[in-house]
Amino acid sequence: MKYDLSEINNIIENRRTIYPELFSSRKVHKEQIDRLLMNATWAPSHGMTQPWRFKVFMNDGLKKLSKYQSELYQTIIAEDDFNEMKFEKLINRPILSSAVVAICMQRQKSKKIPEIEEIEAVACAVQNILLTATAYGLAVHWSSGWPTYRSETKQFLNINSADRCLGFLYIGYPADKWPSGQRKPIEYVTDWINE
């Protein structure tokens, strides 16, 4: 065997979503973020378009993201629909993180490759980030909720109108022990067709 499959299996099986509210104050180093992003770029992409683009917020950049998200929410959401808990998360989650990576997809100008395949390539890149983070013992939360898909967010991130923001990765160290998880057995999700 070329690699230690048991270690690879352990990394895959131990990947978890850990929310910023459960991060410690320990800081993630820029070099670790660099490695996460380098590994992301080895994801498959149809036609080698490599559509992934990353906007990394660290240090004062985290305050800028916090301010943008919370102010946009205050501006856009009707008073009757305003949710204080959601508003507080938009303010606090960036500040609780060592880094936040905006996950973007740059649309191929020729549009030869279907957009869904470009989105899938970026999702594969994110999985590489998540697995590398797990190997480092880093906590990550991929948030794709509000305001990810808004045109204002494209402007904030300085991406083109044909491009997409696919979410934000909040990165830190877990404050507590690594959470356990479970999945359905493959028998529940797999059909074997032999004839």
Side-chain angles (χ1 to χ4, degrees):
M1 192 165 296
K2 188 172 180 181
Y3 299 102
D4 184 343
L5 191 56
S6 65
E7 265 193 41
I8 294 169
N9 290 342
N10 283 337
I11 291 169
I12 291 169
E13 291 171 7
N14 280 289
R15 189 226 40 89
R16 294 288 175 274
T17 294
I18 301 174
Y19 298 99
E21 292 81 6
L22 302 174
F23 290 179
S24 74
S25 59
R26 182 179 172 194
K27 294 299 177 196
V28 176
H29 297 287
K30 181 187 180 295
E31 294 76 21
Q32 292 171 296
I33 303 298
D34 284 341
R35 174 47 63 188
L36 298 179
L37 300 180
M38 280 189 266
N39 285 358
T41 67
W42 287 98
S45 70
H46 186 181
M48 283 296 288
T49 59
Q50 301 181 51
W52 38 79
R53 297 295 181 273
F54 309 108
K55 309 284 183 168
V56 182
F57 297 86
M58 292 183 83
N59 304 314
D60 286 341
L62 295 167
K63 294 176 189 169
K64 181 177 181 179
L65 178 62
S66 169
K67 184 175 191 279
Y68 163 73
Q69 290 184 338
S70 58
E71 287 181 358
L72 181 65
Y73 186 78
Q74 274 185 312
T75 304
I76 301 294
I77 299 300
E79 194 174 326
D80 292 344
D81 296 329
F82 189 87
N83 181 311
E84 188 67 33
M85 193 163 68
K86 184 178 279 189
F87 177 68
E88 291 296 323
K89 282 181 183 177
L90 291 169
I91 291 172
N92 294 325
R93 282 188 167 176
I95 306 304
L96 293 169
S97 305
S98 288
V100 178
V101 179
I103 303 300
C104 303
M105 180 212 71
Q106 184 176 66
R107 186 70 175 115
Q108 183 188 35
K109 288 189 182 2
S110 71
K111 298 186 178 173
K112 180 181 175 186
I113 304 297
E115 184 183 44
I116 186 65
E117 294 184 16
E118 301 284 62
I119 293 169
E120 291 162 347
V122 175
C124 288
V126 170
Q127 180 70 347
N128 284 2
I129 291 171
L130 299 176
L131 295 177
T132 305
T134 300
Y136 270 129
L138 299 176
V140 182
H141 168 56
W142 183 2
S143 173
S144 58
W146 201 100
T148 299
Y149 307 117
R150 299 196 58 88
S151 61
E152 296 91 344
T153 300
K154 288 183 181 187
Q155 293 170 354
F156 174 73
L157 295 173
N158 195 27
I159 62 175
N160 295 321
S161 60
D163 300 343
R164 289 182 182 255
C165 175
L166 299 177
F168 296 87
L169 294 178
Y170 295 83
I171 304 170
Y173 276 99
D176 296 316
K177 67 177 187 157
W178 200 260
S180 61
Q182 61 183 21
R183 290 292 187 269
K184 292 178 183 175
I186 62 166
E187 292 80 13
Y188 288 91
V189 297
T190 307
D191 291 325
W192 296 89
I193 297 96
N194 293 311
E195 295 180 4

